[in-house]
Amino acid sequence: MTTPAQQPLPITGIPRTGLPAHAVVVGDPARAAAVAGLLDDAKEISYHREYRTFTGTWQHLPVVVASHGVGAPGALLLFQELAEAGVTHFIRLGTAGAIRPGVGDGDLVVADAAVRDDGVTRQLIPAEYPAFAAPEAVLALQRAARAAQAPYHRGVVWTRAAFQPGFLPLPAEAYERAGIAAIEMELSALYVFASTRGLTAGGALVVDGVNADELVDEEATGGYDPHRSVVADGVTRAARITLDALRLLAAEDAGLPAQTSPTTR
């Protein structure tokens, strides 16, 4: 008979303690499996609802890879339970719609901060509190992207709860003029959660199209299609960059020199 301390956490089904300190979090359970496929000794430890979790090692670094589904409220539940189980460093590997001119399909966006339009964090902390990445996570992602010779951009992203536009006017034009790089759905929740708990978080987003608000004439634009090869290639490249960034963070925490050359796996 298991004791309460031995029972898995209620939302994600992951163990209550003992997880590695470094995690890649993604939206899609299938993407979690794909990233885990890059690891040595990968093992699925839980699959409950949209929350699919693996452990393994990357260049000798123990890591967690876990999916959180679509939307910030559900994603926040994963972040909370991962932290309870031992994770201290998070990088969200996701996709996003480009807003800033010059940000192209398959490019990587390294997010310095996020607009808190996520639908959940205003219920947790006043709206004036910023959603910002840990600077060391941003720099680690930048170093890893440069080493991989990957096209990348840095900037602020817009985390928005609604995927499609509705009947209310939204500040898309203002955010474009302000230089917002891209739009996605979960990152600000991670940044607020991590910063308020003294944890380290970063975001690596692969562009899979333009802002959904602009797809008014689907016949003319071809509609939103995130399943193109340019996006898949970008996600695979970004997965390695994200794992390398976690390795850089671990080396920095340990006071060790970190290799920035791209991995060949």
Side-chain angles (χ1 to χ4, degrees), residues 12 17 44 57 79 94 100 104 106 117 120 131 134 159 188 194 196-197 213 221-222 224 232 236 238 257-258 265:
T12 62
T17 60
E44 185 174 311
T57 60
F79 308 150
R100 183 196 301 164
D117 194 15
V120 64
T159 300
S188 65
T196 55
R197 285 161 177 79
D213 291 353
T221 64
Y224 172 63
T236 299
R265 299 188 67 235

Side-chain angles (χ1 to χ4, degrees), residues 56-218:
T57 60
W58 175 258
Q59 302 292 303
H60 309 294
L61 175 70
V63 297
V64 180
V65 180
S67 63
H68 51 64
V70 176
L76 185 59
L77 297 175
L78 173 72
F79 308 150
Q80 291 169 334
E81 293 200 348
L82 285 176
E84 184 174 344
V87 174
T88 59
H89 294 65
F90 297 78
I91 295 182
R92 167 161 150 70
L93 168 63
T95 53
I99 295 180
R100 183 196 301 164
V103 179
D105 282 340
D107 288 1
L108 183 67
V109 174
V110 177
D112 296 294
V115 176
R116 284 178 51 200
D117 194 15
D118 52 59
V120 64
T121 60
R122 291 193 182 198
Q123 297 182 15
L124 306 177
I125 197 165
E128 292 81 6
Y129 186 90
F132 57 94
E136 61 270 30
V138 171
L139 295 177
L141 284 165
Q142 180 174 275
R143 288 177 63 190
R146 286 177 175 172
Q149 298 183 327
Y152 79 95
H153 313 263
R154 276 182 57 178
V156 179
V157 301
W158 177 11
T159 300
R160 194 177 81 183
F163 181 77
Q164 297 286 1
F167 298 100
L168 298 176
L170 294 167
E173 291 185 6
Y175 284 153
E176 182 177 357
R177 292 197 306 273
I180 296 290
I183 182 170
E184 57 86 65
M185 299 183 70
E186 296 87 15
L187 191 58
S188 65
L190 174 60
Y191 283 179
V192 169
F193 170 76
S195 64
T196 55
R197 285 161 177 79
L199 305 175
T200 299
L205 307 171
V206 179
V207 172
D208 65 356
V210 298
N211 178 2
D213 291 353
E214 297 176 4
L215 300 182
V216 177
D217 185 352
E218 292 197 359

Side-chain angles (χ1 to χ4, degrees), residues 24 26-37 39 52-54 65-68:
V24 179
V26 302
D28 185 357
R31 181 171 298 152
V35 176
L39 305 178
R52 189 176 188 182
T53 307
F54 298 82
V65 180
S67 63
H68 51 64

